Amino acid sequence: MERPRSVVNRIALAAVGVSTLLAGALLVATDGSVAAHLPTWWPAVRPDGALLDRAALSGPRAPAWWSVGVMTGSAAASCLLALWCVSQFRDGTRARLPLPVPDGALRTRALADVLNSRTASVSGIARSHTRVRSARRGRLHVRLRVRLWPDATPATVLTAVDALMAEAEAAVTPYRLVTRVHFSAHAHRSPHVR
């Protein structure tokens, strides 16, 4: 199952897409060449008229609650959209992950720091950056960005990193590590000719 934030985003995009499609279909249907082929229940627009004329708009505006209702609804929608926008910037990480040991918990930041220091100590690695994210359905997502020395062999370094990740997965037993490693390398300095 996908993360709830992703599901909500897809539902919101689908709703906006469907409403835009319906609005476009309504505008296309007002064209004279299309209007002749529409069913009888479809709202007809006079060739010299507008889609929403003043008489049609004055009906809903007549009650006294109209202005208050529109302003309240607009303010509520704006607040909800602002909260939704702010929630998109959350990282999705949980500060503590429960372990099966009594009163045991693991901080994802501490795990990232340990993995980063252990990865940086592997021969052939100039520096590394580690990020540990969400533990959903028993998974921890680990992203490693590793910068290699120019003379390092990626296959040798990857074998050492794989052994390190196997050790880390044994340490966080109820969780499974899903690891992505991104390699980059320092360029050889070319000699300057004078």
Side-chain angles (χ1 to χ4, degrees):
M1 181 169 171
E2 298 179 58
R3 294 184 348 196
R5 187 169 75 184
S6 176
V7 172
V8 169
N9 286 346
R10 288 177 187 219
I11 290 171
L13 284 174
V16 168
V18 167
S19 63
T20 304
L21 183 67
L22 291 176
L26 184 61
L27 287 175
V28 167
T30 59
D31 187 42
S33 62
V34 178
H37 303 291
L38 292 175
T40 55
W41 55 266
W42 194 269
V45 177
R46 297 186 323 255
D48 61 337
L51 187 60
L52 293 174
D53 58 354
R54 291 189 187 276
L57 288 175
S58 64
R61 292 182 182 170
W65 56 265
W66 170 260
S67 298
V68 175
V70 168
M71 289 177 62
T72 305
S74 299
S78 297
C79 289
L80 286 174
L81 287 173
L83 288 172
W84 181 38
C85 182
V86 168
S87 74
Q88 299 303 304
F89 295 111
R90 276 190 292 135
D91 190 19
T93 60
R94 287 200 254 172
R96 290 176 172 237
L97 302 171
L99 293 175
V101 182
D103 294 330
L106 172 69
R107 288 184 182 265
T108 55
R109 180 68 185 177
L111 178 62
D113 290 342
V114 168
L115 288 176
N116 195 36
S117 65
R118 295 282 308 271
T119 305
S121 67
V122 172
S123 65
I125 295 179
R127 66 177 175 199
S128 68
H129 176 73
T130 308
R131 184 172 178 188
V132 179
R133 293 190 67 221
S134 69
R136 303 234 193 269
R137 295 188 335 201
R139 293 186 196 161
L140 287 174
H141 297 278
V142 179
R143 183 179 297 169
L144 291 172
R145 292 188 172 271
V146 176
R147 182 165 298 261
L148 302 174
W149 289 111
D151 58 342
T153 307
T156 307
V157 173
L158 186 58
T159 304
V161 169
D162 189 35
L164 178 66
M165 288 301 125
E167 183 183 337
E169 189 165 8
V172 292
T173 297
Y175 300 102
R176 201 180 104 218
L177 293 183
V178 179
T179 307
R180 289 187 179 203
V181 181
H182 175 77
F183 285 121
S184 59
H186 284 293
H188 288 283
R189 297 197 80 174
S190 56
H192 293 297
V193 178
R194 291 185 188 209

